[in-house]
Coordinates of all heavy atoms in Angstrom, one line a residue:
H112 N 98.1 82.9 90.9 CA 98.4 83.7 92.1 C 98.5 85.2 91.8 O 98.7 86.1 92.7 CB 99.6 83.4 92.8 CG 99.6 82.1 93.4 ND1 100.6 81.4 94.2 CD2 98.5 81.1 93.5 CE1 100.3 80.1 94.5 NE2 99.0 80.0 94.3
L113 N 98.2 85.5 90.4 CA 98.6 86.9 90.0 C 97.3 87.7 89.4 O 96.4 87.0 89.1 CB 99.6 86.8 88.8 CG 101.0 86.4 89.2 CD1 101.9 86.1 88.0 CD2 101.7 87.4 90.0
A114 N 97.5 88.9 89.3 CA 96.5 89.8 88.6 C 97.3 90.8 87.7 O 98.5 91.1 88.0 CB 95.6 90.5 89.6
L115 N 96.6 91.3 86.8 CA 97.3 92.4 86.0 C 97.4 93.6 86.8 O 96.5 94.0 87.6 CB 96.5 92.6 84.7 CG 96.4 91.6 83.7 CD1 95.3 92.0 82.5 CD2 97.8 91.5 82.9
K116 N 98.6 94.3 86.8 CA 98.7 95.5 87.5 C 97.9 96.6 86.9 O 98.0 96.8 85.6 CB 100.3 95.8 87.5 CG 100.5 97.2 88.4 CD 102.0 97.7 88.3 CE 102.3 98.3 87.0 NZ 101.6 99.6 86.7
P117 N 97.1 97.3 87.7 CA 96.4 98.5 87.0 C 97.5 99.6 86.4 O 98.5 99.8 87.0 CB 95.6 99.0 88.3 CG 95.4 97.9 89.2 CD 96.7 97.0 88.9
K118 N 97.1 100.0 85.4 CA 98.0 100.9 84.6 C 98.2 102.3 85.3 O 99.3 102.9 85.2 CB 97.5 101.2 83.2 CG 97.6 100.0 82.3 CD 97.2 100.2 81.0 CE 97.1 99.1 80.0 NZ 98.4 98.3 80.0
N119 N 97.3 102.5 86.2 CA 97.3 103.9 86.9 C 98.1 103.8 88.3 O 97.9 104.8 89.0 CB 96.0 104.5 87.0 CG 95.0 103.7 87.9 OD1 95.1 102.4 87.8 ND2 94.1 104.3 88.4
I120 N 98.6 102.7 88.6 CA 99.4 102.7 89.9 C 100.8 102.2 89.6 O 101.0 101.5 88.5 CB 98.8 101.8 90.9 CG1 98.8 100.3 90.5 CG2 97.3 102.1 91.2 CD1 98.4 99.4 91.7
S121 N 101.7 102.5 90.4 CA 103.2 102.3 90.2 C 103.4 100.7 90.6 O 102.7 100.1 91.3 CB 104.0 103.1 91.0 OG 103.8 102.9 92.3
H122 N 104.6 100.2 90.3 CA 105.0 98.9 90.7 C 105.1 99.0 92.3 O 104.9 97.9 92.9 CB 106.3 98.4 90.0 CG 106.1 98.0 88.6 ND1 105.6 96.8 88.3 CD2 106.5 98.4 87.4 CE1 105.5 96.6 87.0 NE2 106.1 97.5 86.4
E123 N 105.6 100.0 92.8 CA 105.7 100.1 94.2 C 104.5 100.0 94.9 O 104.3 99.2 96.0 CB 106.5 101.5 94.7 CG 107.9 101.5 94.2 CD 108.2 101.8 92.7 OE1 107.1 102.2 91.9 OE2 109.3 101.8 92.3
E124 N 103.4 100.7 94.5 CA 102.1 100.6 95.0 C 101.5 99.2 94.8 O 100.8 98.8 95.7 CB 101.1 101.7 94.4 CG 101.5 103.1 94.7 CD 100.8 104.1 93.9 OE1 100.8 103.9 92.5 OE2 100.3 105.1 94.4
A125 N 101.8 98.6 93.7 CA 101.2 97.2 93.5 C 101.9 96.2 94.3 O 101.1 95.5 95.1 CB 101.4 96.9 92.0
A126 N 103.2 96.3 94.6 CA 103.8 95.3 95.4 C 103.4 95.5 96.8 O 103.3 94.5 97.6 CB 105.4 95.6 95.3
A127 N 103.1 96.7 97.2 CA 102.7 96.9 98.6 C 101.4 96.3 98.8 O 101.0 95.6 100.0 CB 102.5 98.4 98.8
G128 N 100.4 96.3 97.8 CA 99.1 95.8 97.9 C 99.0 94.3 97.6 O 98.2 93.9 96.7
T129 N 99.7 93.4 98.3 CA 99.6 92.0 98.1 C 99.4 91.3 99.3 O 98.2 91.1 99.7 CB 101.0 91.5 97.4 OG1 102.1 92.2 98.1 CG2 100.9 92.0 95.9
L130 N 100.4 90.9 100.2 CA 100.0 90.1 101.4 C 99.3 91.0 102.3 O 98.2 90.3 102.9 CB 101.3 89.5 102.0 CG 101.2 88.6 103.2 CD1 102.5 87.7 103.2 CD2 101.0 89.3 104.5
A131 N 99.6 92.1 102.6 CA 98.9 92.9 103.6 C 97.5 93.2 103.0 O 96.5 93.1 103.9 CB 99.7 94.3 103.8
L132 N 97.3 93.5 101.8 CA 96.0 93.8 101.3 C 95.1 92.6 101.3 O 93.9 92.5 101.7 CB 96.1 94.5 99.9 CG 94.7 94.7 99.2 CD1 93.7 95.4 100.2 CD2 95.0 95.6 97.9
L133 N 95.7 91.4 100.9 CA 95.0 90.2 100.9 C 94.5 89.7 102.2 O 93.3 89.2 102.4 CB 95.7 89.1 100.1 CG 95.8 89.2 98.6 CD1 96.3 87.8 98.0 CD2 94.4 89.5 97.9
T134 N 95.4 90.0 103.2 CA 95.1 89.7 104.6 C 93.8 90.4 105.0 O 92.9 89.9 105.6 CB 96.3 89.9 105.5 OG1 97.4 89.1 105.1 CG2 95.9 89.6 106.9
A135 N 93.9 91.8 104.8 CA 92.7 92.5 105.1 C 91.4 92.1 104.4 O 90.5 92.0 105.0 CB 93.1 94.0 104.8
W136 N 91.5 91.9 103.1 CA 90.4 91.4 102.4 C 89.8 90.1 102.9 O 88.6 89.9 103.0 CB 90.8 91.3 100.9 CG 89.6 91.0 100.0 CD1 89.3 89.7 99.6 CD2 88.6 91.9 99.5 NE1 88.0 89.8 98.9 CE2 87.6 91.2 98.8 CE3 88.5 93.3 99.6 CZ2 86.5 91.6 98.1 CZ3 87.4 93.9 98.9 CH2 86.5 93.1 98.2
Q137 N 90.7 89.1 103.0 CA 90.2 87.7 103.5 C 89.7 87.8 104.9 O 88.8 87.1 105.2 CB 91.3 86.7 103.3 CG 91.7 86.4 101.8 CD 92.8 85.5 101.6 OE1 93.2 84.9 102.5 NE2 93.3 85.5 100.2
A138 N 90.2 88.7 105.8 CA 89.7 88.8 107.1 C 88.3 89.5 107.2 O 87.5 88.9 107.8 CB 90.8 89.6 108.1
L139 N 88.3 90.6 106.5 CA 87.0 91.4 106.6 C 85.9 90.9 105.7 O 84.8 90.7 106.1 CB 87.2 92.9 106.3 CG 87.7 93.7 107.3 CD1 89.1 93.5 107.8 CD2 87.6 95.2 107.0
V140 N 86.2 90.5 104.4 CA 85.2 90.1 103.5 C 84.9 88.6 103.3 O 83.9 88.1 103.7 CB 85.6 90.7 102.1 CG1 84.6 90.4 101.0 CG2 85.8 92.2 102.1
T141 N 86.1 87.8 103.2 CA 85.9 86.4 103.0 C 85.4 85.6 104.3 O 84.5 84.9 104.3 CB 87.2 85.8 102.5 OG1 87.7 86.4 101.4 CG2 87.2 84.3 102.2
N142 N 86.1 86.1 105.4 CA 85.8 85.5 106.7 C 84.8 86.3 107.5 O 84.0 85.8 108.1 CB 87.1 85.1 107.5 CG 87.9 84.1 106.8 OD1 87.6 82.9 106.9 ND2 88.8 84.5 105.9
G143 N 85.1 87.6 107.5 CA 84.2 88.4 108.4 C 82.9 88.7 107.9 O 82.0 89.1 108.6
K144 N 82.8 88.8 106.5 CA 81.5 89.0 105.9 C 80.9 90.3 106.4 O 79.6 90.3 106.7 CB 80.6 87.8 106.0 CG 81.0 86.6 105.4 CD 80.1 85.4 105.4 CE 80.7 84.1 105.1 NZ 81.5 84.2 103.7
I145 N 81.8 91.4 106.4 CA 81.2 92.6 106.9 C 80.2 93.2 105.9 O 80.2 92.9 104.7 CB 82.4 93.7 107.2 CG1 83.0 94.0 105.9 CG2 83.3 93.2 108.2 CD1 83.9 95.1 106.0
K146 N 79.3 94.0 106.5 CA 78.3 94.6 105.6 C 78.0 96.0 106.0 O 78.5 96.5 107.0 CB 76.9 93.7 105.8 CG 76.5 93.6 107.1 CD 75.2 92.8 107.1 CE 74.7 92.8 108.6 NZ 75.6 92.4 109.7
E147 N 77.1 96.7 105.2 CA 76.7 98.0 105.5 C 76.2 98.2 106.9 O 75.4 97.5 107.3 CB 75.8 98.6 104.4 CG 75.3 100.0 104.6 CD 74.4 100.5 103.5 OE1 74.3 99.6 102.5 OE2 74.0 101.5 103.5
G148 N 76.7 99.3 107.6 CA 76.2 99.5 108.8 C 76.8 98.8 110.1 O 76.6 99.1 111.1
D149 N 77.6 97.9 109.7 CA 78.4 97.2 110.8 C 79.4 98.1 111.6 O 80.0 99.1 110.9 CB 79.2 96.0 110.3 CG 78.5 94.8 110.0 OD1 77.4 94.7 110.5 OD2 79.1 93.8 109.4
K150 N 79.5 98.1 112.8 CA 80.6 98.6 113.6 C 81.8 97.9 113.6 O 81.8 96.7 114.2 CB 80.2 99.0 114.9 CG 78.9 100.0 115.1 CD 78.5 100.3 116.5 CE 79.5 100.9 117.3 NZ 79.0 101.2 118.7
V151 N 82.8 98.4 112.9 CA 84.1 97.7 112.7 C 85.2 98.4 113.4 O 85.4 99.4 113.3 CB 84.3 97.7 111.2 CG1 85.7 96.9 110.9 CG2 83.3 96.8 110.5
L152 N 86.0 97.7 114.3 CA 87.1 98.2 115.0 C 88.4 97.5 114.4 O 88.5 96.4 114.3 CB 87.0 97.7 116.5 CG 88.2 98.2 117.4 CD1 88.4 99.7 117.4 CD2 88.0 97.6 118.8
I153 N 89.2 98.5 113.9 CA 90.4 98.1 113.3 C 91.6 98.4 114.2 O 92.0 99.6 114.5 CB 90.7 98.7 111.9 CG1 89.5 98.5 111.0 CG2 92.0 98.2 111.2 CD1 89.3 97.1 110.5
H154 N 92.2 97.4 114.9 CA 93.4 97.7 115.6 C 94.6 97.9 114.7 O 94.7 97.3 113.7 CB 93.7 96.6 116.6 CG 92.7 96.3 117.8 ND1 92.5 97.3 118.7 CD2 91.7 95.4 118.0 CE1 91.5 97.0 119.5 NE2 91.1 95.8 119.1
G155 N 95.5 98.7 115.2 CA 96.8 98.9 114.3 C 96.3 99.6 112.9 O 96.9 99.1 111.9
A156 N 95.5 100.6 113.0 CA 94.8 100.9 111.8 C 95.8 101.8 110.8 O 95.5 102.0 109.6 CB 93.5 101.9 112.1
S157 N 96.9 102.2 111.4 CA 97.9 102.9 110.4 C 99.0 101.9 109.9 O 99.9 102.4 109.1 CB 98.7 103.9 111.3 OG 99.4 103.3 112.4
G158 N 98.9 100.7 110.2 CA 99.9 99.7 109.7 C 99.7 99.2 108.4 O 98.6 99.6 107.7
G159 N 100.4 98.2 108.0 CA 100.2 97.6 106.6 C 98.9 97.0 106.4 O 98.3 97.4 105.5
V160 N 98.5 96.1 107.3 CA 97.2 95.5 107.0 C 96.1 96.4 107.4 O 95.0 96.6 106.8 CB 97.1 94.1 108.0 CG1 95.7 93.7 108.0 CG2 98.0 93.1 107.5
G161 N 96.3 97.2 108.5 CA 95.2 98.1 109.1 C 94.9 99.2 108.3 O 93.7 99.5 108.1
H162 N 95.9 99.7 107.4 CA 95.4 101.0 106.5 C 94.6 100.4 105.3 O 93.8 101.1 104.8 CB 96.7 101.7 106.2 CG 97.4 101.4 104.8 ND1 98.2 100.3 104.8 CD2 97.5 102.0 103.7 CE1 98.6 100.2 103.6 NE2 98.3 101.2 102.9
Y163 N 94.9 99.1 104.9 CA 94.0 98.6 103.8 C 92.6 98.3 104.5 O 91.6 98.4 103.8 CB 94.6 97.3 103.3 CG 95.9 97.7 102.4 CD1 97.0 97.1 102.6 CD2 95.8 98.4 101.2 CE1 98.1 97.2 101.8 CE2 97.0 98.7 100.4 CZ 98.0 98.0 100.7 OH 99.1 98.4 99.9
A164 N 92.6 97.6 105.6 CA 91.4 97.1 106.3 C 90.4 98.4 106.5 O 89.1 98.3 106.2 CB 91.6 96.5 107.6

Side-chain angles (χ1 to χ4, degrees):
H112 295 175
L113 294 169
L115 290 171
K116 181 186 76 65
K118 295 184 183 302
N119 59 328
I120 68 172
S121 66
H122 281 294
E123 290 81 5
E124 292 168 313
T129 45
L130 187 149
L132 177 48
L133 285 191
T134 299
W136 183 266
Q137 292 177 11
L139 273 70
V140 182
T141 307
N142 292 281
K144 302 187 186 306
I145 62 168
K146 61 186 183 301
E147 182 176 354
D149 279 352
K150 289 178 69 175
V151 173
L152 175 61
I153 308 295
H154 291 294
S157 63
V160 174
H162 90 288
Y163 289 124

